[in-house]
Amino acid sequence: MTNQNKSAQARQRRRSSDGRFADEDKQDSLPSDTKIQQAASLLTDDTEPDFNQLLTATDAFDDPYEARHIEFDMPDGTTVSGYALDDDRIDRNKVPAGWHAYSVMESDSDEDGETTLSIDRDGYVNHRMDFITTEDLSQRIDSGQLTEIHGDEWGFTGNDLVDDLAEQSDDEDFDLDIELEEKRHAMMDAAIRDLIFFKQDEENMTALKAAAWQTINHDEQNKGESAIGYLRIVPSSNPAALHLEDMSEERLEEARLNGGWNPDKDKYVRFTKDGDLEGLSYTEADELIWDNRQRILQAVRDDESANFGTVSLLHNCFNRERQVREHDYRTPDDKR
C-alpha cells in the first residue's frame, strides 16, 4: 500500500541546477544539463526501466504522486509507456538522464466522434499533457509517424509513479522519502568504498562537478552552510554567485590580497575555507574538485535534497570503474 503523505521534503526535493563553475565558452566548463545527459547516457540502456531508473524519474516532478502512468499504442503496433502530468507541463531542465520529455496535443473530435492525438517534443497548441518515457521518439516525430494517434489508443493505467515504485519494491509500507534516503546512502557508501578505482576522465569529472554544484545550491536554498562551500568555483568575469556585493570594499580588497585573486589574469575564483578569494586556472579548478572527490561524495550522501539522477550517475560511474579495474587486474588463471 502506497504511503500518500506528500511531505514538504518530497515536494521541495526536485530542484533544477543550472550553475556553472567555468566560463560558458569552453567545452571543459562545469557540465551543462546536456553534457550531464551525454555522460550519463554512456551508463544507461533502453531497456524497461528498473527500480533505480524509476527512482531517477522522480527528479522530473515536483510531486511524484501526480505523475500518472500512461500507455499508448503506436501506429506500428508497439506500446510506449511513461509518466504524465495531466493538463500540465514538465520542466525540460529537470528531466533526468535516461528519460525523454514530450508533449501531447489533442485535436477536436472528428465526425465519427473520435479524438486524435499528436506527439511533439514541446507542443503548445491544443496542449493536453506532458510526459516522460525511457524511449527516444525523435525519429518517429521527425518522420511524422506521431501526428495522428487515435484517442481510444491512449490510456491511463490507474497507477502513478509512486504506485509503480511500491509494486517493484514489494514493500507494503513503501515510503518514497525513506526509500530515496536509504538508496542515496547505500549508493554513495558504495561509491566512497570504490574510490580506489575512480579515474579522472571526462565522464567522472562531469559527474563530480555537477554533484558539487547541486549540493552547494541545495544547502544555500535550505538556509544551511555547505560543508563543501569552498568548492563553489565561478568565472572571474562573472563572480555574481559569490555575492561579493555583500562585502565591504575593505574586506573585499583584503580577501583578494590574502587569496591572491587577480580578476584580470585568473580564469576562476573561489572562497577558501579562510574566507579569502583565490584565483584558479582551469587545471587548478579541476584538480581542486578531484582532490576533494571523497568530500563531494560524502556531501551528496548527506544532502536530503539530492537529485537522485545525480546520485545514480555518481554510483554508476564508480561501479563502472570498479568493474573495469577488477577485470583488468584478473589473470588468465583467476577463477573469480
Side-chain angles (χ1 to χ4, degrees), residues 290-307:
W290 177 249
D291 291 343
N292 285 275
R293 56 195 181 278
Q294 181 168 346
R295 291 186 178 90
I296 293 171
L297 296 180
Q298 185 64 48
V300 174
R301 184 192 187 280
D302 297 337
D303 179 11
E304 294 183 354
S305 298
N307 298 72

Side-chain angles (χ1 to χ4, degrees), residues 70-73 75 103-108 114-120 126-129 144-156:
I70 57 172
E71 292 181 350
F72 62 96
D73 298 328
S103 295
V104 175
M105 281 66 67
E106 186 175 44
S107 69
D108 295 330
E114 291 188 353
T115 299
T116 300
L117 306 172
S118 62
I119 297 174
D120 206 344
N126 297 327
H127 179 267
R128 174 69 172 83
M129 68 184 69
Q145 296 179 31
L146 306 183
T147 56
E148 294 187 3
I149 302 174
H150 292 298
D152 58 3
E153 295 173 340
W154 178 276
F156 291 99

